[in-house]
């Protein structure tokens, strides 16, 4: 089966380079490139322009990747979104996951990893970079929900919900009326309970187990 792809990136040379690389992959072909989310919405007026996968840059003028992912998830939930970014920040990844991205890829990867990411999104439903813990990937790849024997208190649940936002730890502390040190203690306690090592690990694990909802 062949999958259709649209590249959304305001850097025209990068978009064309990505298209050229993807056209060499056996299972994929590029329908077109656009420079931002608004242009994508215009293209979607014609059903023939709706792809299976959207490669989505995050930082774009007029309508950025966050807004575009949110729109795609609302109006075209069947489309697989693979985010493209120069940033390896957990907060950015969390926000894209919240808005419906099924994968996250840094722009400095080599073509084989791009193809690997596309294959993973199509076959497994997700793709996350190497700096996400291996244990998190095992949790994500499990087809069955695990029974939560872990006991969480109210403050930990509140922290988890805020952790799924783009707020910094300092801003979370302000929302919870506590010090940054206390916020870190909630985080560290959840690291131990969930067996995770990163904020995105906590969030995606909690989402998968149904502890929090976006």
């Amino acid at each position: 089966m062949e999958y259709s792809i649209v590249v959304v990136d305001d850097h025209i040379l990068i978009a064309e380079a990505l298209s050229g690389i993807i056209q060499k992959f056996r299972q994929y072909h590029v329908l077109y490139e656009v420079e931002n989310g608004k242009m994508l919405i215009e293209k979607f007026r014609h059903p023939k322009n709706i792809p299976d996968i959207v490669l989505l840059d995050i930082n774009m003028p007029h309508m950025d990747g966050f807004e575009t992912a949110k729109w795609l998830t609302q109006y075209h939930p069947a489309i697989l979104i693979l985010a493209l970014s120069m940033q390896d920040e957990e907060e950015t990844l969390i926000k894209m996951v919240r808005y419906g991205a099924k994968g996250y890829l840094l722009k400095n990867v080599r073509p084989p990893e791009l193809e690997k990411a596309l294959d993973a999104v199509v076959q497994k439903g997700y793709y996350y970079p190497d700096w996400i813990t291996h244990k998190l990937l095992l949790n994500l790849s499990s087809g069955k929900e695990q029974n939560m024997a872990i006991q969480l208190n109210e403050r930990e649940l509140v922290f988890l919900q805020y952790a799924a936002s783009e707020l910094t730890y300092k801003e979370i502390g302000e929302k919870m009326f506590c010090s940054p040190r206390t916020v870190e203690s909630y985080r560290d306690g959840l690291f131990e309970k969930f067996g995770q090592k990163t904020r995105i690990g906590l969030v995606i694990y909690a989402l998968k187990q149904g502890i929090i909802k976006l």
Side-chain angles (χ1 to χ4, degrees):
M1 180 176 177
E2 191 172 62
Y3 298 92
S4 59
I5 296 176
V6 167
V7 179
V8 186
D9 195 312
D10 63 317
H11 294 92
I12 297 173
L13 287 177
I14 291 178
E16 291 182 351
L18 282 169
S19 294
I21 292 169
I22 292 168
Q23 296 290 60
K24 296 177 182 178
F25 298 159
R26 182 174 56 86
Q27 283 188 290
Y28 308 96
H29 71 275
V30 177
L31 290 178
Y32 55 87
E33 306 106 25
V34 291
E35 296 177 28
N36 55 60
K38 285 188 176 180
M39 294 177 68
L40 182 69
I41 291 174
E42 282 296 315
K43 282 281 192 179
F44 273 30
R45 292 180 182 274
H46 302 286
K48 67 178 182 180
N49 290 331
I50 298 177
D52 300 307
I53 303 168
V54 170
L55 278 183
L56 184 60
D57 187 20
I58 294 177
N59 296 313
M60 299 179 294
H62 307 302
M63 187 173 180
D64 65 18
F66 300 120
E67 296 174 281
T68 306
K70 190 174 182 180
W71 184 88
L72 286 169
T73 300
Q74 181 176 355
Y75 294 103
H76 297 276
I79 292 177
L80 300 168
I81 303 169
L82 179 57
L84 296 170
S85 178
M86 294 298 294
Q87 306 173 35
D88 60 356
E89 298 173 356
E90 288 187 354
E91 290 82 2
T92 303
L93 195 156
I94 288 171
K95 191 172 180 180
M96 286 305 295
V97 170
R98 288 180 66 229
Y99 288 158
K102 302 301 183 184
Y104 192 97
L105 193 66
L106 296 179
K107 287 187 176 181
N108 62 355
V109 300
R110 296 184 178 277
E113 185 169 352
L114 172 58
E115 186 173 19
K116 177 183 175 183
L118 292 170
D119 289 344
V121 167
V122 167
Q123 296 168 13
K124 300 179 183 178
Y126 69 89
Y127 177 83
Y128 297 102
D130 291 340
W131 44 275
I132 300 300
T133 65
H134 178 65
K135 188 164 186 176
L136 170 60
L137 295 180
L138 291 177
N139 290 334
L140 285 170
S141 63
S142 172
K144 298 180 180 179
E145 297 295 323
Q146 300 176 17
N147 293 323
M148 286 298 300
I150 300 171
Q151 297 297 314
L152 303 178
N153 61 46
E154 184 178 350
R155 296 290 280 176
E156 287 173 327
L157 289 171
V158 172
F159 167 76
L160 276 173
Q161 196 66 56
Y162 282 130
S165 73
E166 59 268 30
L167 295 174
T168 65
Y169 287 127
K170 181 180 179 182
E171 290 168 336
I172 292 173
E174 292 172 354
K175 293 281 187 182
M176 296 183 68
F177 302 103
C178 64
S179 68
R181 186 181 296 272
T182 301
V183 171
E184 290 174 1
S185 72
Y186 295 141
R187 178 201 63 193
D188 293 344
L190 289 168
F191 280 165
E192 184 173 349
K193 288 183 179 181
F194 290 175
Q196 302 297 329
K197 296 181 180 179
T198 65
R199 176 174 171 173
I200 185 64
L202 291 179
V203 171
I204 297 181
Y205 186 87
L207 287 170
K208 180 175 173 59
Q209 301 303 327
I211 301 170
I212 60 173
K213 294 182 179 180
L214 300 179

